Amino acid sequence: MPLRLLRFAAAKTHPEPRMFRPPERLQNHYDVVIIGAGGHGLAAAYYLARDYGIHKVCVLEKGYIGGGNTGRNTTIVRSNYLTPEGVQFYDASIHLWEDLSEEFDLNLFYSTRGHFTLAHSDSAMRTMRWRAEVNKHYGIASEVVDADVVHRALPMMDISCGGHAPVLGALYHAPGAIVRHDAVAWGYGRGADLRGVEIHQRTAVTGIQVKAGKAVAVETTKGVIHTDCVLSAVAGSSPEILQMVGLDSPLYVHPLQAMVSEPTKPWLDPIIVSGSLHVYVSQSARGELVMGASLDPYELHSTRSTLDFTEGLAAHILDLFPFLSELKVVRQWAGMADMTPDYAPIMGKTPVEGFYLDAGWGTWGFKATPIAGKTMAATIAEGKPHPLITGFSLDRFREFSLTGERGAAAVGH
Ligand code: PYC
């Protein structure tokens, strides 16, 4: 038995420092209350404290930190979006990602791999060209490549896809990366905690008090907190929280499932996405294939995963990589994706004064973690929307001024 394990077994107290303090009890007032200790909520707390000196902040989490969509995604980071708003926002996120391990003094295993979005039809090729042009305009490395280039880069892939959906070309995005998702929550959590933020796990929000159009208190399973600033960053639970403040939203929640294979030797360097096959796959530092599909086609507020999903995704993975037919799936799970009609997020102020929203992340919220935290912190501290999020306001649905990002979703929905 390893010595370290024995040391743990014999010790009365935990011999290694915790990532963050377990605060004893809720205080009755905080300057900012953040609902949701996923990456977005913790990042907002971190930047509020680090950049604006706002330390009297608590983050409330009904489960455990990073236990929602932060720990349930397939860890892909990219900025090859379609709209100018999306491209600039995600590009700023990549710049933050690149320095995060050093900033946290915690290895997030951020690994730049390159990202191929395969096109199997002329219309998909057209969308890839459109995305490449918008990307290049904003200085982002994206280019359309033909089937020969894809074949040379990925000789192990069957580019005829078993003959039923031949690859015609791809959008290649060199900055595409993967990163260890749970460590992102721990890094932001520890950084926020070191700056005085309190993180209360197993503390569910049961109500939000609004008086004369202003948020004034948050009711929780551990007591009432008075505050005049509340940020909701709860992904698939956003409709529940919005109901508490009496706001309508166009959000609808669908399950998004993923699975992981047993580890193999490294053979897949880039990230591969196919919208037509509803597949994305990358190989983690541990050698596992991390794979996902599109949303389940029904609205459901649940994180149960299904055999249908495993069968469907495995069949499409085998279209691309038939030699994997003996590979075992070792885990599968689901998250709850809060979708908007235009596939762009909802960020910023709301008609309830002091109630801020970070929602509508659908199937692409993980990669936004650093910039979502930074821009929400700026919006709260400065009292006006950060310039990078003006295209994502809740108002846009009332004003019919949408930010149509559908063409940049990793897979069809
Ligand atoms: O937006 O890159 C993405 C993505 C990957 C998996 C789900 N969404």
Side-chain angles (χ1 to χ4, degrees):
M1 182 184 288
L3 207 61
R4 190 157 167 269
L5 200 57
L6 267 178
R7 207 158 65 93
F8 274 78
K12 283 218 169 56
T13 53
H14 200 279
E16 292 201 349
R18 301 184 69 108
M19 286 296 283
F20 53 88
R21 299 162 297 158
E24 274 168 22
R25 59 184 177 78
L26 278 177
Q27 302 178 41
N28 66 13
H29 174 268
Y30 293 90
D31 293 339
V32 181
V33 175
I34 297 177
I35 311 173
H40 287 218
L42 292 167
Y46 173 81
Y47 293 115
L48 276 170
R50 193 198 74 172
D51 296 351
Y52 299 97
I54 301 177
H55 306 280
K56 195 146 190 242
V57 176
C58 78
V59 186
L60 305 175
E61 170 55 53
K62 68 178 172 188
Y64 56 94
I65 82 163
N69 288 357
T70 297
R72 292 168 184 273
N73 57 72
T74 45
T75 83
I76 296 171
V77 172
R78 63 184 173 94
S79 61
N80 56 355
Y81 274 71
L82 181 62
T83 64
E85 293 86 349
V87 169
Q88 293 174 91
F89 181 78
Y90 290 101
D91 183 45
S93 208
I94 289 207
H95 289 302
L96 292 172
W97 276 117
E98 286 166 347
D99 295 331
L100 225 46
S101 292
E102 198 179 334
E103 187 172 328
F104 292 160
D105 192 19
L106 177 69
N107 193 349
L108 306 183
F109 290 85
Y110 186 84
S111 172
T112 301
R113 298 291 190 87
H115 181 285
F116 284 94
T117 310
L118 306 178
H120 305 254
S121 66
D122 290 338
S123 72
M125 284 298 281
R126 255 195 315 277
T127 309
M128 301 306 159
R129 284 193 202 99
W130 180 5
R131 280 169 70 181
E133 290 312 312
V134 179
N135 286 194
K136 282 188 231 167
H137 181 76
Y138 289 100
I140 281 134
S142 283
E143 56 182 320
V144 174
V145 294
D146 65 22
D148 283 347
V149 174
V150 178
H151 179 56
R152 279 202 298 280
L154 298 158
M156 69 301 252
M157 191 171 87
D158 175 5
I159 64 163
S160 80
C161 290
H164 41 85
V167 173
L168 304 183
L171 180 67
Y172 179 64
H173 176 53
I178 52 174
V179 53
R180 201 178 137 196
H181 51 192
D182 46 358
V184 174
W186 299 338
Y188 275 118
R190 182 172 69 178
D193 172 70
L194 285 170
R195 289 165 176 82
V197 170
E198 291 181 14
I199 302 167
H200 291 265
Q201 301 181 90
R202 307 260 175 236
T203 307
V205 170
T206 52
I208 299 175
Q209 295 175 14
V210 177
K211 288 210 175 110
K214 290 186 189 167
V216 293
V218 177
E219 296 162 4
T220 80
T221 46
K222 306 236 173 101
V224 176
I225 306 166
H226 299 276
T227 185
D228 50 18
C229 184
V230 180
L231 165 63
S232 172
V234 297
S237 301
S238 299
E240 264 172 71
I241 297 290
L242 285 166
Q243 219 173 14
M244 293 178 188
V245 290
L247 285 177
D248 280 338
S249 82
L251 291 170
Y252 47 105
V253 176
H254 284 246
L256 181 65
Q257 303 195 42
M259 67 190 194
V260 155
S261 75
E262 62 184 327
T264 62
K265 286 185 178 168
W267 61 273
L268 181 65
D269 196 42
I271 302 152
I272 310 297
V273 177
S274 166
S276 308
L277 298 180
H278 308 294
V279 163
Y280 33 90
V281 54
S282 66
Q283 188 170 25
S284 74
R286 279 201 294 231
E288 302 162 326
L289 292 186
V290 183
M291 301 166 271
S294 55
L295 294 173
D296 288 344
Y298 39 82
E299 188 156 12
L300 184 70
H301 294 222
S302 157
T303 52
R304 285 180 57 188
S305 58
T306 62
L307 183 59
D308 269 6
F309 156 78
T310 324
E311 283 179 344
L313 179 55
H316 286 309
I317 291 279
L318 293 180
D319 280 341
L320 291 172
F321 304 109
F323 65 92
L324 294 177
S325 61
E326 298 295 316
L327 195 72
K328 292 190 179 57
V329 170
V330 294
R331 287 195 306 285
Q332 67 177 96
W333 64 89
M336 293 196 302
D338 46 329
M339 296 293 303
T340 59
D342 62 359
Y343 287 55
I346 305 175
M347 298 182 74
K349 292 180 164 205
T350 68
V352 174
E353 200 180 322
F355 178 78
Y356 294 81
L357 190 58
D358 171 271
W361 292 102
T363 63
W364 45 80
F366 174 66
K367 64 178 83 60
T369 303
I371 195 65
K374 204 164 164 64
T375 52
M376 286 309 307
T379 301
I380 290 170
E382 290 168 7
K384 59 176 199 294
H386 186 281
L388 280 175
I389 67 167
T390 50
F392 304 144
S393 73
L394 179 60
D395 283 353
R396 73 182 188 273
F397 298 103
R398 196 161 29 83
E399 291 160 4
F400 298 110
S401 158
L402 303 187
T403 304
E405 202 59 92
R406 185 174 193 145
V411 286
H413 295 85

